Amino acid sequence: MDFYLGCAVWSFKGWVGDLYPPKSRAKDFLSLYSRRMTAVEGNTTFYAVPSRATVERWAAEMPAGFHFCPKMPKDVTHGHLLETKIAAAIAFIDRIAQLGNRLGSIFVQLPPRYSPENFDDLQVFLEGLPRDRVKIALEVRHLDWFQDPYASRLNELLQHLGVGRVLLDTRPVYNAPEDPQIASERRKPQVPLEPIVTAKFTLVRFISHPEREYNEVYLQEWAQRVADWLREGTRVYFFVHCPVEARSPQTVRWFQQELERLESTAPPLPWNQLQESSVPSEQLNLFE
């Protein structure tokens, strides 16, 4: 399977009664989530390295075919230089690799202060990672990375090393009217969107607006782009974020609908299949 779709988290109580059945318990959320979506962005690993027992439990709860895309811990990525953290990064990779075939792409998110002045440090770091064992994707946030000559130099490095480019799309929250609902997401850097593929896979982080009308034009654009990438043989991980997390699953579902409308090769969303198997089709309205 070359297309993986999901949210940024799985442990959200507000999804009980929507994504999760009524009265679902928190301890069952990962198992329930992984039978409704095809991937999750593992933000929890940014704050702490999970224990061996936790990783083994995650692997046991997730079905075959589901992918977990963990974020490199901030203790590795948010210090001053990366070269000194290579050993810690490899230790994290060794731990998270226990997910086996449930492991998708590990992504390295660099802070806004990490600029192209640190290019040599970044190159040494990426070259020191076991890229033959795991997929690595990189997210940069300093604005100079998006301007030449730094943008071209970065893309050439990623292509040479087979490292994916994380594509952060914050347009829905920055191009919408001011709204207290989206204030938290406007703390994210407003970086340019460069839909460039630098490896055999890519990872998209779509920062959605709580109101669908502000997402539609961008999701339609993404659906066409993803459909084209899939036809070209590129693996795509697509994650929906939202400042009102309760809305994320329905945004995922609407994006899936767009992909199906384009007759892309994206597989069905398991969540839709679960509902279709339990509710007569004439009574099912997925997109109210």
Side-chain angles (χ1 to χ4, degrees):
M1 190 167 73
D2 282 330
F3 181 66
Y4 295 84
L5 178 60
C7 302
V9 298
W10 71 83
S11 186
F12 182 69
K13 293 181 180 179
W15 291 341
V16 174
D18 180 21
L19 180 63
Y20 303 145
K23 300 182 180 180
S24 295
R25 298 173 295 180
K27 71 181 186 65
D28 298 322
F29 284 174
L30 179 57
S31 177
L32 291 168
Y33 177 97
S34 61
R35 285 159 178 79
R36 286 157 175 77
M37 304 291 179
T38 51
V40 68
E41 184 184 296
N43 279 330
T44 59
T45 58
F46 182 67
Y47 303 101
V49 177
S51 68
R52 180 180 296 272
T54 295
V55 177
E56 290 175 349
R57 175 171 54 82
W58 286 346
E61 291 180 3
M62 294 181 284
F66 181 86
H67 277 195
F68 190 103
C69 294
K71 187 187 291 189
M72 189 75 74
K74 65 178 180 180
D75 287 346
V76 173
T77 60
H78 282 54
H80 179 55
L81 294 177
L82 297 173
E83 183 177 357
T84 61
K85 299 293 186 177
I86 292 175
I90 293 174
F92 171 73
I93 289 170
D94 289 342
R95 175 65 54 80
I96 210 70
Q98 294 174 278
L99 289 173
N101 60 13
R102 274 77 166 171
L103 178 60
S105 169
I106 296 171
F107 75 99
V108 177
Q109 181 190 83
L110 300 182
R113 67 178 179 274
Y114 193 93
S115 76
E117 292 181 2
N118 301 119
F119 184 91
D120 291 343
D121 174 67
L122 175 61
Q123 180 172 350
V124 170
F125 176 75
L126 293 176
E127 289 176 342
L129 301 183
R131 303 181 315 280
D132 57 331
R133 291 174 45 208
V134 294
K135 294 181 180 66
I136 303 291
L138 178 73
E139 179 181 332
V140 292
R141 292 188 163 196
H142 192 287
L143 291 178
D144 285 354
W145 288 113
F146 298 87
Q147 301 179 22
D148 279 330
Y150 311 115
S152 296
R153 192 179 179 198
L154 176 62
N155 289 328
E156 288 169 4
L157 174 65
L158 299 184
Q159 290 166 355
H160 174 69
L161 297 178
V163 172
R165 182 79 185 259
V166 175
L167 307 176
L168 177 65
D169 189 355
T170 59
R171 293 175 298 173
V173 293
Y174 277 107
N175 293 345
E178 294 256 358
D179 186 333
Q181 292 186 102
I182 62 175
S184 63
E185 293 305 311
R186 283 190 169 176
R187 290 199 295 266
K188 285 185 169 63
Q190 189 178 7
V191 298
L193 176 64
E194 290 191 358
I196 296 172
V197 175
T198 59
K200 294 180 180 179
F201 71 98
T202 193
L203 193 154
V204 180
R205 305 179 73 222
F206 183 77
I207 313 302
S208 64
H209 193 283
E211 304 301 328
R212 184 172 124 179
E213 63 182 295
Y214 299 114
N215 299 321
E216 287 185 351
V217 64
Y218 304 115
L219 286 176
Q220 289 167 351
E221 174 188 313
W222 274 115
Q224 184 61 66
R225 184 177 289 124
V226 167
D228 292 342
W229 282 342
L230 294 178
R231 280 192 291 269
E232 295 165 2
T234 300
R235 174 174 289 183
V236 180
Y237 293 98
F238 195 101
F239 295 111
V240 172
H241 293 237
C242 188
V244 181
E245 200 60 66
R247 307 285 177 87
S248 292
Q250 294 300 333
T251 301
V252 166
R253 181 173 266 176
W254 193 83
F255 186 57
Q256 175 73 26
Q257 182 188 43
E258 280 299 294
L259 289 166
E260 292 175 358
R261 184 181 64 81
L262 294 175
E263 299 182 352
S264 76
T265 58
L269 187 68
W271 186 21
N272 290 348
Q273 294 182 305
L274 277 176
Q275 292 209 349
E276 288 168 359
S277 67
S278 60
V279 181
S281 59
E282 65 271 13
Q283 296 178 14
L284 186 63
N285 187 340
L286 300 181
F287 305 102
E288 290 183 339

